[in-house]
Amino acid sequence: MANQLNLSKVPVSVAMNQSMETTNVQENKRPIFDITTDSFDEEPETSSINPDQVTKKLKDLSCAEEDEENLPVRPLIVCVQILNSDDAGESLTDKEIRMLVKAGHCPLYKIEKMLNNPERGVKIRRQIVTENAKFAPQILSDLPYTSYDYSKVMNACCENVLGYVQIPLGYAGPLLLDGKTYYVPMATTEGALVASTNRGCKAISARGVTSVVHDVGMTRAPCVRFPDISQAAKAKAWIETTANYEAIKAMFNSTSRFGRLQEIMIAMNGPLLFLRFRSHTGDAMGMNMVSKGTEKALTHIKENFPEMEVISLSGNFCADKKPTAVNWIKGRGKSVVCEAIVPAEQLRSILKTDAKTLAQCNKLKNLVGSSMAGSIGGNNAHAANMVTAIFIATGQDPAQNVTSSNCSTSMEVYGKNEEDLYMTCTMPSLEVGTIGGGTVLTAQSACLNMLGLRGSHPTDPGQNAKTLASVICATVMAGEISLMAALVNNDLVKSHMVHNRSATNLAEFQKQELAAMQNFPKFDNTRN
């Protein structure tokens, strides 16, 4: 490509003059193809190919998309001129744009922006990827890309876009939480999950769910290094001094309207310091907000300790998208506790079980079993299922289900006759937001609208995100109690066969189940 003329930054008028520098030399006339007449002719004496004529001709042709590939390709220099003009490539054929991409005049990663037509850019990228990867032509045919608002995706949610993946969306509810009814959107491909959670909502909504939310704040923990441990200890003491902390806080807070530093937790390892900045972030999940404030705060610290070396803005003491004790103990994002009392009647009629059986299974499975596994934040049956389904539906970061699924589920017998069930779910690190990130996408915004929680709260910044955290925790509770009931009733496999398998397989399974159940030991609920 070294010998090709790069005109990506050359003005249109200059490029045109360069290409036609011999037009007035009569003896150098040569045949050219004129797309405006569909014929070869001698090179004109006073003008070059007119982009306006080209555009009109292409529009008049009104070719079907498949016929466009048969149109003649204009010279590269002319295509560059058109791309860099006000036309912005509108009159270029897909084949000509692919030629420009291959020649380096139109970077594939920003083809949507250069064409000012996101959907067409995605279509052409699919064509190029199919060719480069040597895919069979039908490989991407079932991956949709049309009728999507890519303006909300560009520079925000995804790069190198090839289309979008459709995920089924169901709902669980009504869920009675803090005196208000919610219909909770859940996006999942796991059969039985929504049905099971819906059953749980019915049970815990008999008397309703109560929640308490604490805005812990989002965290970012850079790793910094000093020449020796004495310097590291000196810096640690300096940061922890009230006056110095307040100065750092002022620098941090200056970077955002909503970011408000709450704490710097410092851990020392040799000459290394891990500075865990914790900040409120309004209704945003807030990772970018906290990162920006942390960078600003580090510049102030470095002014006082020039020997400090910033190793990484994230030192894994935050901790983001990893199971960690620090998030389980200190919390991250929103910390939520939900409680509900499920009457004995609902336990029998809806869940087909009783309080003593559920409480014992919860103790042995969720507490003892999780301890045997060495679980961190996993004292639950399947909190991650509900968390991830709601995260995908409402535009949260799905990878943050790792920390957000930290949950301790507790069940106790309750009431005068100990026939009711008292249940709590404690989730110390739900990382959620109702503004920014994937929440801006059309479908995800619609799901937040279902909950009445889209965008920032008009009078109390942060309240929408806190309410979303409560809804998630209460939905987790619904999923927990339903699954536990299925387990003690030996219904888990049967329910998945109903929702995940064909009728033929289900019939065969039922035959096997009847035979096996004849000798299946009964669950002893008389032992504590």
Side-chain angles (χ1 to χ4, degrees), residues 398-472:
Q400 287 187 320
N401 81 83
V402 176
T403 293
S404 295
S405 298
N406 281 342
C407 177
S408 177
T409 299
S410 175
M411 297 181 183
E412 304 173 17
V413 294
Y414 183 83
K416 184 176 180 179
N417 298 320
E418 296 189 341
E419 293 183 348
D420 299 336
L421 182 75
Y422 175 74
M423 179 179 184
T424 64
C425 281
T426 302
M427 305 185 74
S429 50
L430 268 167
E431 302 150 321
V432 296
T434 58
I435 188 171
T439 67
V440 304
L441 299 175
T442 304
Q444 287 78 350
S445 292
C447 290
L448 286 170
N449 278 331
M450 284 178 61
L451 299 170
L453 299 174
R454 179 186 175 189
S456 295
H457 192 279
T459 60
D460 186 7
Q463 186 57 49
N464 277 358
K466 290 168 67 175
T467 303
L468 177 59
S470 290
V471 170
I472 293 172

Side-chain angles (χ1 to χ4, degrees), residues 240-307:
E240 292 173 338
T241 300
T242 301
N244 296 328
Y245 169 76
E246 290 298 327
I248 295 170
K249 181 178 179 179
M251 295 289 285
F252 184 103
N253 293 351
S254 69
T255 63
S256 170
R257 288 187 299 152
F258 299 103
R260 294 296 177 262
L261 185 63
Q262 303 298 306
E263 175 192 42
I264 304 176
M265 176 184 175
I266 306 176
M268 183 174 173
N269 187 328
L272 301 175
L273 293 184
F274 294 84
L275 312 174
R276 192 173 188 261
F277 289 76
R278 178 172 63 84
S279 170
H280 289 168
T281 57
D283 281 306
M285 182 273 289
M287 277 302 310
N288 292 335
M289 192 184 303
V290 176
S291 296
K292 184 178 178 182
T294 299
E295 278 189 329
K296 185 74 170 179
L298 287 176
T299 61
H300 180 68
I301 298 173
K302 191 169 178 62
E303 288 174 0
N304 291 272
F305 294 90
E307 69 277 12

Side-chain angles (χ1 to χ4, degrees), residues 356-387:
K356 288 183 179 179
T357 300
L358 286 174
Q360 178 167 273
C361 185
N362 183 76
K363 173 186 174 182
L364 300 181
K365 168 184 165 59
N366 288 342
L367 302 182
V368 177
S370 296
S371 177
M372 292 291 291
S375 176
I376 297 176
N379 300 333
N380 60 81
H382 68 145
N385 258 333
M386 286 67 71
V387 170

Side-chain angles (χ1 to χ4, degrees), residues 24-60:
N24 292 325
V25 182
Q26 298 297 320
E27 58 271 22
N28 287 335
K29 289 181 181 179
R30 62 186 186 280
I32 63 168
F33 182 85
D34 185 356
I35 197 169
T36 64
T37 61
D38 292 337
S39 63
F40 283 91
D41 201 353
E42 287 191 337
E43 184 175 295
E45 295 184 0
T46 59
S47 64
S48 62
I49 297 175
N50 189 325
D52 292 335
Q53 290 179 295
V54 172
T55 301
K56 183 178 184 304
K57 182 64 178 180
L58 283 175
K59 289 180 179 179
D60 291 342

Side-chain angles (χ1 to χ4, degrees), residues 339-369:
E339 71 174 359
I341 297 171
V342 186
E345 174 58 30
Q346 274 66 39
L347 292 175
R348 287 191 295 268
S349 62
I350 299 172
L351 302 176
K352 317 302 180 185
T353 186
D354 58 78
K356 288 183 179 179
T357 300
L358 286 174
Q360 178 167 273
C361 185
N362 183 76
K363 173 186 174 182
L364 300 181
K365 168 184 165 59
N366 288 342
L367 302 182
V368 177

Side-chain angles (χ1 to χ4, degrees), residues 202-251:
K202 186 176 181 181
I204 65 177
S205 293
R207 293 188 183 176
V209 180
T210 301
S211 73
V212 176
V213 190
H214 173 53
D215 189 354
V216 175
M218 187 47 60
T219 61
R220 176 59 83 199
C223 171
V224 296
R225 181 166 57 194
F226 294 84
D228 52 50
I229 61 173
S230 297
Q231 288 293 314
K234 181 179 177 181
K236 181 176 183 294
W238 183 87
I239 294 170
E240 292 173 338
T241 300
T242 301
N244 296 328
Y245 169 76
E246 290 298 327
I248 295 170
K249 181 178 179 179
M251 295 289 285

